[in-house]
Amino acid sequence: MGEAPAGSLVCPEPEERPDLWPWTTRRRADGSLEVGGVPLEDIARDFATPVYVLDRADLRGRARVWTSAMAEEFWEGYGMSGGDAFYAAKALLCADVVDVVTAEGMGIDTASLGELALTLRAGADPARVGLHGNNKLDAEIELALGAGDNSGIERIFVDSLHEVGQVERIAAALGVTARVMVRLKTGIHAGGNEYIATSHEDQKFGVSVADGSAMDVVRAIIVSPHLELLGFHNHIGSQIEGTEAFVAAARIVMDFRARVSRELGVSTREVDLGGGVGIAYTGADPVPTSPAEVARGVAATVREAAEETGTSVPHVSVEPGRSVAGPTTVTVYRVGAVKDVTLQGGAVRRYVAVDGGMSDNIRPALYGAAYTATLANRAPHGPWQRSRVVGKHCESGDIVVHDVDLPDDVTAGDLLVVPATGAYGWSMASNYNVLTKPGVLAVEDGSARWVLRPQTLADLMALDPGLDAD
């Protein structure tokens, strides 16, 4: 690859930043990229573009790392009560993902009727499933409590005083006991964007420790005959660097747990500290915090807090999603129009249009998220041209990569690959401009297969009764 200029925004190669790419990504002798032993050029030819390409071995490995880290740091031999990792299904969900992560020991956390139904139908053990949501439907709670021959899923996360009455009413009607955890606002504000920071006071999730509403919810649960209080949950945000925020939140949750024990005489056995560990999206991002670092920091805090408050050590779980699915997947696009735009002051920006866009990755438009890109069908070489990768939608904000240095000779027909699109790419995709959603193609050991089939125009037309044949 040609030498990059000072201040370069050239996408790092897999050997330069392996944390940015699926584990099996490499440049072949001919300069093209492959993942899972399958050349991306072959995928584009045989399966069309755009397409999400998921490294199944990478997904399996990341799930295993999280499970192992929590099991090791919270091992009973260390005076702990065990540790667990639950995969946050909203990042990317399909039957194959459920199969892979549960086979590696992860549970599944869901946040809607669809996520819960798919997870259960895919064969996940209901005793290893949770249900989130700030405004749960009765149908969601009924499915949760009726799963597993009415033994119910492992836990429902109560998000408000209203939900206490709602879950109690449905559990009573079914004649079952609902196992619940209270989602707390700890006041910790962490994450890469205001819209993904989820534990400060002025947002919709959870009940506040500071204003007393959390204690009101706990009291209501205790007197509800069909509810069992398992413990407390907190999720502070997403795309978090380091361990400080997780440690601070763990301390607040543990102190609140001790207060409940002290004031209400109720001991709880579970603490869930959510997810939010960040990943790298570009070469400018730091190397992500490892699962072992997070687990180790939280374990020390939990142990210390339990000793200081004279309470038992709880079983601790976390809910990684982005850090499990995100780096496992790349999106492959075909280049179409290429044109140069002269900016104020005489600088030139090249616009490189691809055959997808904000319908398959809304995050740049929604959050201002930064991604990078490189050539997939040949080795990238300078001279370099500062470029903006854009989609084909009827929106000026339809940007895939805001700024990246691409070879000056990029042309129609080339393949561009964008790494780290496994989390919230497919799951937030839309049919804007009546574009079809790309499929997710799993690659492993030189073979490829759909785990989520691409939509067709026929799929979309079938939803419109006005298009039915006479």
Side-chain angles (χ1 to χ4, degrees):
M1 188 170 72
E3 184 177 349
S8 170
L9 294 178
V10 174
C11 177
E13 288 291 291
E15 68 272 14
E16 297 169 330
R17 284 295 302 267
D19 56 299
L20 189 63
W21 295 93
W23 288 351
T24 63
T25 308
R26 71 178 186 92
R27 285 267 175 207
R28 295 159 59 90
D30 63 3
S32 65
L33 277 176
E34 70 170 35
V35 179
V38 183
L40 297 183
E41 198 169 19
D42 291 358
I43 286 173
R45 182 193 65 230
D46 298 339
F47 297 95
T49 56
V51 59
Y52 304 103
V53 180
L54 185 154
D55 182 346
R56 202 165 183 268
D58 189 351
L59 179 67
R60 183 183 302 108
R62 292 179 190 277
R64 184 179 304 154
V65 167
W66 267 111
T67 301
S68 299
M70 292 301 294
E72 180 175 342
E73 295 301 330
F74 291 90
W75 178 50
E76 288 84 348
Y78 293 156
M80 307 299 281
S81 296
D84 257 324
F86 283 70
Y87 174 69
K90 65 178 184 174
L92 174 65
L93 183 64
C94 65
D96 195 65
V97 168
V98 172
D99 287 345
V100 170
V101 300
T102 57
E104 296 303 327
M106 297 190 82
I108 306 281
D109 270 326
T110 66
S112 72
L113 181 63
E115 287 184 0
L116 179 59
L118 192 158
T119 295
L120 294 173
R121 184 169 177 179
D125 181 358
R128 299 282 293 153
V129 175
L131 176 64
H132 280 284
N134 67 300
N135 187 30
K136 298 179 187 67
L137 305 175
D138 281 6
E140 293 168 347
I141 297 170
E142 289 165 359
L143 177 60
L145 295 181
D149 297 327
N150 287 334
S151 59
I153 65 172
E154 179 171 348
R155 52 199 188 176
I156 297 174
F157 297 91
V158 171
D159 202 82
S160 64
L161 191 60
H162 163 81
E163 279 193 354
V164 176
Q166 182 187 21
V167 179
E168 167 64 23
R169 168 176 55 80
I170 295 171
L174 294 175
V176 299
T177 297
R179 296 176 290 275
V180 300
M181 297 182 73
V182 179
R183 179 161 182 166
L184 303 175
K185 293 182 184 179
T186 59
I188 302 296
H189 191 141
N193 182 283
E194 177 184 352
Y195 294 157
I196 54 176
T198 54
S199 194
H200 57 288
E201 296 295 332
D202 190 11
Q203 50 81 33
K204 70 175 185 175
F205 293 108
V207 288
S208 174
V209 171
D211 71 6
S213 57
M215 190 61 82
D216 291 340
V217 167
V218 171
R219 290 191 178 97
I221 291 171
I222 291 171
V223 299
S224 297
H226 295 88
L227 302 184
E228 176 189 355
L229 178 62
L230 294 184
F232 305 101
H233 171 275
N234 180 239
H235 177 68
I236 56 178
S238 295
Q239 196 55 12
I240 299 166
E241 300 173 10
T243 63
E244 293 83 358
F246 296 109
V247 167
R251 182 68 208 215
I252 295 171
V253 172
M254 287 294 292
D255 286 347
F256 181 78
R257 176 176 178 265
R259 181 184 164 200
V260 168
S261 177
R262 183 174 62 252
E263 295 182 11
L264 303 180
V266 175
S267 296
T268 55
R269 63 178 186 268
E270 298 278 346
V271 164
D272 187 312
L273 295 171
V277 175
I279 65 172
Y281 287 98
T282 75
D285 292 334
V287 174
T289 307
S290 72
E293 291 175 290
V294 174
R296 192 172 302 121
V298 169
T301 299
V302 167
R303 186 186 301 109
E304 178 182 281
E307 291 175 355
E308 291 180 3
T309 59
T311 55
S312 61
V313 176
H315 183 275
V316 177
S317 52
V318 292
E319 303 166 352
R322 183 195 311 265
S323 63
V324 177
T328 68
T329 300
V330 300
T331 305
V332 183
Y333 300 99
R334 181 80 67 182
V335 173
V338 178
K339 62 183 177 182
D340 291 340
V341 175
T342 302
L343 308 179
Q344 193 172 25
V348 174
R349 175 181 284 121
R350 175 159 295 170
Y351 277 74
V352 179
V354 296
D355 53 357
M358 64 191 301
S359 60
D360 58 72
N361 190 352
I362 192 63
R363 296 186 69 254
L366 185 62
Y367 301 138
Y371 286 83
T372 189
T374 190
L375 286 171
N377 57 304
R378 57 189 173 94
H381 291 284
W384 306 96
Q385 176 64 51
R386 186 61 47 91
S387 303
R388 177 159 291 173
V389 181
V390 297
K392 61 185 276 73
H393 295 278
C394 191
E395 292 284 343
S396 58
D398 178 24
I399 298 171
V400 178
V401 180
H402 281 82
D403 288 292
V404 61
D405 289 338
L406 293 174
D408 187 60
D409 63 349
V410 167
T411 189
D414 274 331
L415 296 177
L416 285 187
V417 57
V418 176
T421 58
Y424 309 108
W426 189 90
S427 67
M428 297 179 78
S430 74
N431 297 121
Y432 185 47
N433 286 153
V434 197
L435 264 69
T436 54
K437 287 178 65 169
V440 180
L441 193 72
V443 292
E444 188 172 23
D445 297 330
S447 64
R449 63 181 176 86
W450 293 117
V451 292
L452 283 164
R453 287 190 296 269
Q455 289 179 335
T456 66
L457 281 177
D459 293 331
L460 299 188
M461 300 301 172
L463 298 173
D464 189 336
L467 299 176
D468 289 345
D470 292 334

